[in-house]
Amino acid sequence: MVGEPVVEHTELSGRVALVTGAGQGIGEAVVRALVARGARVAALDAVPDGIGELAAEYGPERVTAHTADVSDAADVEAVVEEVETSVGPLGILVNVAGVLHSSPVVALTDEMWDRTFAVNTTGVFVASRAVARRMAARGAGCVVTVGSNAAGVPRTGMAAYAASKAAATMFTKCLGLELGRSGVRCNVVSPGSTDTAMQRALWTDDEAPARVIDGDPGTYRVGIPLGRIAEPSDIADAVAFLVSDRARHITMHDLYVDGGATLRA
């Protein structure tokens, strides 16, 4: 239904955000969280359906839909230019777009590897470069990359995904170091298992969620100490905090939102 969203508070009022991978899962939740805090959001996705529904629900004054492949630099640059011209100067970028090809390394194809890095790593680079250049010139802005706790803990069957997320994480930290004096902050949110279509695609039977929570010794994976799988909104709330002024002195940080699953010290 078309209509104005219910705004919880206005800490992001007047700010324009670009969210990649916005059509479903964590990306959709991030769009909703930012709109609820007063931001105008440009929702970008390679598939038009989800972002079109968001734009219809909230209306063009809150959400605009933009279809592009994040690995295509020309397409992303065109979207960024369009948003800056028609919506306003971007103050927030959230890199969410991602793909997962689960496979043992010895069975991993060149195509799986290349596509994983094209979206999960090159996509972060392409979008961040286009937006950060403009933010730095204005002396303000926030970039948040949604990574993964798999970037810091080895996972069986997830080598390409984990490596691509590790690269995106370090890229984002390096970007934050370079842009710190310009007033642009760059941080990472690293989810653990989250109830999304990507997560559910890994489940092979009804007991799979319980194994995620309890752990699986056969794959050298510990469970989740908090005893629950995250909802997309849990990740989105962490993103919303990092792009707000409440996090104004936080940059180059990697915030794990995984219920303690990685046992990080």
Side-chain angles (χ1 to χ4, degrees), residues 32-160:
R32 294 186 183 279
L34 299 185
V35 170
R37 290 158 175 78
R40 298 184 68 187
V41 180
L44 184 153
D45 203 285
V47 179
D49 296 351
I51 55 175
E53 292 172 4
L54 282 170
E57 176 183 347
Y58 285 110
E61 291 304 310
R62 291 294 184 184
V63 177
T64 56
H66 308 268
T67 304
D69 182 341
V70 292
S71 68
D72 188 314
D75 280 359
V76 172
E77 180 67 32
V79 168
V80 170
E81 183 61 31
E82 177 187 358
V83 172
E84 292 246 336
T85 300
S86 63
V87 182
L90 283 163
I92 297 168
L93 168 66
V94 187
N95 295 302
V96 187
V99 296
L100 168 61
H101 294 289
S102 180
S103 172
V105 171
V106 295
L108 190 66
T109 67
D110 293 349
E111 291 76 16
M112 289 177 178
W113 179 270
D114 291 344
R115 185 57 184 164
T116 299
F117 271 81
V119 176
N120 297 359
T121 308
T122 301
V124 171
F125 160 63
V126 165
S128 298
R129 180 180 61 181
V131 174
R133 183 167 58 237
R134 293 166 167 86
M135 288 179 175
R138 291 189 286 264
C142 301
V143 176
V144 173
T145 295
V146 175
S148 171
N149 65 356
V153 176
R155 298 287 193 216
T156 59
M158 297 178 67

Side-chain angles (χ1 to χ4, degrees), residues 241-252:
F241 165 70
L242 285 173
V243 302
S244 75
D245 288 342
R246 290 176 292 151
R248 67 181 184 177
H249 204 56
I250 300 174
T251 194
M252 296 180 285

Side-chain angles (χ1 to χ4, degrees), residues 211 214-222:
R211 286 196 296 274
D214 295 337
D216 183 2
T219 59
Y220 310 100
R221 182 168 183 158
V222 301

